[in-house]
């Protein structure tokens, strides 16, 4: 297999790589290439849009997470500007353009710093042990040129990002619990307001992470707070970001508990319904024998006139006047 230029190469200038980092320079150069042939013009600028899978196809030597971190670092440097001109609100494909004026300013800044460091190097070379001093200074020049530009933005691990306390630079995978909860809130808001502008999901996911790591909220608790707040007529107008959800979480929990307690008290005080029992009448013994037409009384041996008995009882109860005996 020939590994030497047998396919369209990725080009990058060493000067650009030294100023913004090699990974950033590779991606930025590729975006620049696509912008030159792009026909997508919005707001007076040319844009290029691709999914993360499509970008990954152009940089197969990186993982998707690494590629996302590189793109995010360019956004944080404000060299790469992200936009969303998709027709469907659910389409999260990002559009990008290069803010060339920012790139030029960074270049000028690096040049000024480089000129100052070259002067320092000449001064240091006159001190004793010149060979060792020059060798050390050569390393410093290379490092210091990158410090103000790439210190916060070169590819780092999650642990390094945590150590620097710069959670804004994190990139969250869509399968992470933080991203899922952030996206859940976004979807709930869209149900009430379809025109709601798509937020920076990484920033939203980071607030969810802080709720879990610093506030000790569980996945289920945050999920419940999201659903409850968006079903509440008052809070759904006030909880429009995960940052606000985090700020008001304690207040929401107290209100939820208060409403639950009130519901329990109301249920306990509710009167128990009782059916009014009707008047109970004892059925005479003879009534059970009303069909025994041939039966005779115990004393006289005569047949009991049940109809006469019935009329007599009704007369006693005031239901029917007793007829005169014939």
């Amino acid at each position: 297999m020939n590994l030497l230029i047998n396919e369209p190469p990725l080009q990058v200038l060493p000067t650009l790589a030294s100023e913004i980092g090699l990974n950033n320079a590779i991606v930025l150069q590729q975006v620049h290439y696509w912008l030159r042939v792009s026909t997508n013009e919005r707001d007076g600028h040319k844009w290029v849009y691709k999914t993360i899978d499509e970008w990954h196809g152009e940089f197969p030597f990186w993982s998707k997470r690494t590629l996302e971190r590189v793109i995010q670092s360019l956004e944080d440097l404000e060299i790469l500007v992200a936009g969303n001109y998709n027709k469907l609100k659910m389409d999260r494909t990002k559009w990008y353009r290069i803010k060339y004026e920012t790139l030029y300013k960074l270049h000028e800044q690096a040049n000024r710093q480089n000129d100052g460091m070259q002067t320092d190097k000449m001064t240091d070379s006159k001190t004793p042990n010149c060979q060792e001093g020059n060798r050390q200074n050569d390393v410093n020049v290379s490092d210091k040129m990158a410090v103000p530009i790439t210190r916060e933005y070169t590819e780092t691990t999650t642990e390094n990002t945590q150590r620097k306390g710069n959670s804004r630079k994190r990139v969250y995978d869509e399968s992470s619990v933080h991203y899922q909860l952030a996206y859940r809130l976004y979807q709930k808001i869209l149900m009430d307001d379809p025109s709601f502008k798509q937020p920076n999901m990484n920033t939203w996911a980071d607030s969810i992470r802080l709720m879990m790591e610093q506030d000790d909220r569980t996945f289920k608790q945050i999920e419940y707070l999201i659903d409850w707040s968006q079903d509440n007529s008052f809070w759904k107008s006030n909880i429009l970001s995960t940052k606000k959800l985090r700020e008001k979480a304690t207040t929401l929990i107290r209100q939820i508990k208060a409403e639950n307690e009130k519901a329990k008290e109301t249920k306990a005080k509710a009167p128990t319904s009782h059916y009014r029992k009707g008047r109970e009448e004892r059925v005479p013994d003879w009534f059970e024998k009303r069909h025994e037409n041939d039966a005779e009384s115990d004393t006289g041996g005569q047949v009991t006139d049940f109809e006469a008995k019935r009329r007599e009882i009704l007369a006693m109860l005031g239901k029917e006047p007793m007829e005169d005996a014939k």
Side-chain angles (χ1 to χ4, degrees):
M1 179 185 294
N2 186 4
L3 296 180
L4 296 175
I5 310 300
N6 196 26
E7 55 185 315
L10 291 173
Q11 298 179 338
V12 63
L13 290 176
T15 303
L16 179 63
S18 67
E19 291 178 1
I20 65 173
L22 178 59
N23 292 349
N24 289 348
I26 292 174
V27 172
L28 190 64
Q29 180 63 50
Q30 194 69 357
V31 174
H32 174 68
Y33 166 77
W34 286 115
L35 285 174
R36 293 184 62 186
V37 298
S38 175
T39 58
N40 298 306
E41 291 192 14
R42 300 288 190 281
D43 300 331
H45 299 282
K46 282 189 175 183
W47 297 79
V48 58
Y49 66 94
K50 291 177 181 287
T51 65
I52 191 62
D53 290 329
E54 291 172 332
W55 283 120
H56 187 243
E58 299 193 25
F59 308 105
F61 43 85
W62 287 328
S63 67
K64 288 184 181 180
R65 290 184 64 83
T66 298
L67 180 57
E68 287 175 338
R69 284 197 295 268
V70 174
I71 293 176
Q72 185 63 46
S73 72
L74 288 169
E75 289 188 52
D76 294 333
L77 278 169
E78 297 183 359
I79 297 175
L80 204 60
V81 179
N84 187 344
Y85 297 95
N86 300 307
K87 294 181 179 179
L88 298 177
K89 293 292 184 180
M90 300 298 295
D91 188 352
R92 301 192 303 278
T93 303
K94 282 189 175 182
W95 295 49
Y96 290 106
R97 69 175 178 86
I98 296 176
K99 193 174 182 180
Y100 291 100
E101 54 268 33
T102 300
L103 183 61
Y104 297 149
K105 288 180 181 178
L106 290 175
H107 179 61
E108 292 175 359
Q109 178 184 354
N111 284 340
R112 287 195 300 270
Q113 186 174 8
N114 189 33
D115 291 341
M117 289 181 181
Q118 290 293 348
T119 302
D120 293 341
K121 178 181 176 181
M122 292 177 64
T123 302
D124 293 342
S125 65
K126 297 177 182 179
T127 61
N129 198 3
C130 294
Q131 184 177 1
E132 181 179 353
N134 286 339
R135 184 167 58 250
Q136 180 67 32
N137 198 46
D138 289 341
V139 176
N140 288 341
V141 169
S142 176
D143 291 344
K144 290 180 180 179
M145 281 183 64
V147 167
I149 301 174
T150 61
R151 179 177 56 192
E152 296 290 338
Y153 309 105
T154 52
E155 180 181 355
T156 58
T157 61
T158 302
E159 290 75 15
N160 287 338
T161 304
Q162 290 176 339
R163 184 176 66 252
K164 293 175 182 177
N166 194 359
S167 60
R168 187 170 61 89
K169 306 300 186 297
R170 291 172 179 264
V171 176
Y172 293 87
D173 188 85
E174 294 185 11
S175 61
S176 68
V177 293
H178 310 112
Y179 191 100
Q180 290 176 6
L181 287 171
Y183 190 69
R184 184 183 187 89
L185 176 58
Y186 174 53
Q187 292 300 303
K188 291 283 185 179
I189 295 174
L190 280 181
M191 292 174 64
D192 193 59
D193 181 12
S195 63
F196 187 81
K197 184 178 179 181
Q198 181 178 357
N200 185 322
M201 296 307 297
N202 273 316
T203 302
W204 277 34
D206 197 63
S207 294
I208 297 295
R209 178 188 64 82
L210 293 175
M211 290 183 72
M212 289 184 168
E213 295 181 3
Q214 297 186 10
D215 305 340
D216 294 326
R217 311 288 187 198
T218 66
F219 179 93
K220 288 295 184 183
Q221 289 173 339
I222 298 175
E223 183 181 47
Y224 186 87
L225 288 177
I226 290 173
D227 294 346
W228 188 89
S229 65
Q230 297 307 304
D231 288 336
N232 185 281
S233 58
F234 172 79
W235 286 112
K236 70 179 180 180
S237 300
N238 291 274
I239 306 297
L240 297 176
S241 69
T242 53
K243 180 181 179 181
K244 199 68 174 181
L245 178 70
R246 187 190 178 202
E247 292 176 358
K248 298 298 182 180
T250 301
T251 303
L252 293 174
I253 292 172
R254 289 178 177 175
Q255 184 171 338
I256 293 170
K257 288 182 177 179
E259 290 187 2
N260 289 341
E261 290 296 328
K262 185 176 181 180
K264 289 180 181 179
E265 292 177 1
T266 302
K267 184 177 181 180
K269 293 179 180 179
T272 304
S273 60
H274 295 283
Y275 291 102
R276 183 177 179 182
K277 295 183 178 180
R279 179 180 175 183
E280 294 183 357
E281 295 288 345
R282 182 177 178 276
V283 179
D285 294 339
W286 58 263
F287 188 76
E288 299 296 337
K289 302 177 181 180
R290 64 188 181 279
H291 298 299
E292 300 177 7
N293 295 328
D294 296 334
E296 296 180 352
S297 65
D298 295 338
T299 55
Q302 298 178 353
V303 177
T304 304
D305 189 347
F306 289 106
E307 180 61 24
K309 287 287 186 180
R310 185 183 70 81
R311 292 179 177 276
E312 181 180 350
I313 292 172
L314 291 176
M316 291 174 59
L317 296 174
K319 300 292 184 178
E320 178 178 311
M322 187 174 179
E323 297 181 0
D324 296 336
K326 295 182 180 180

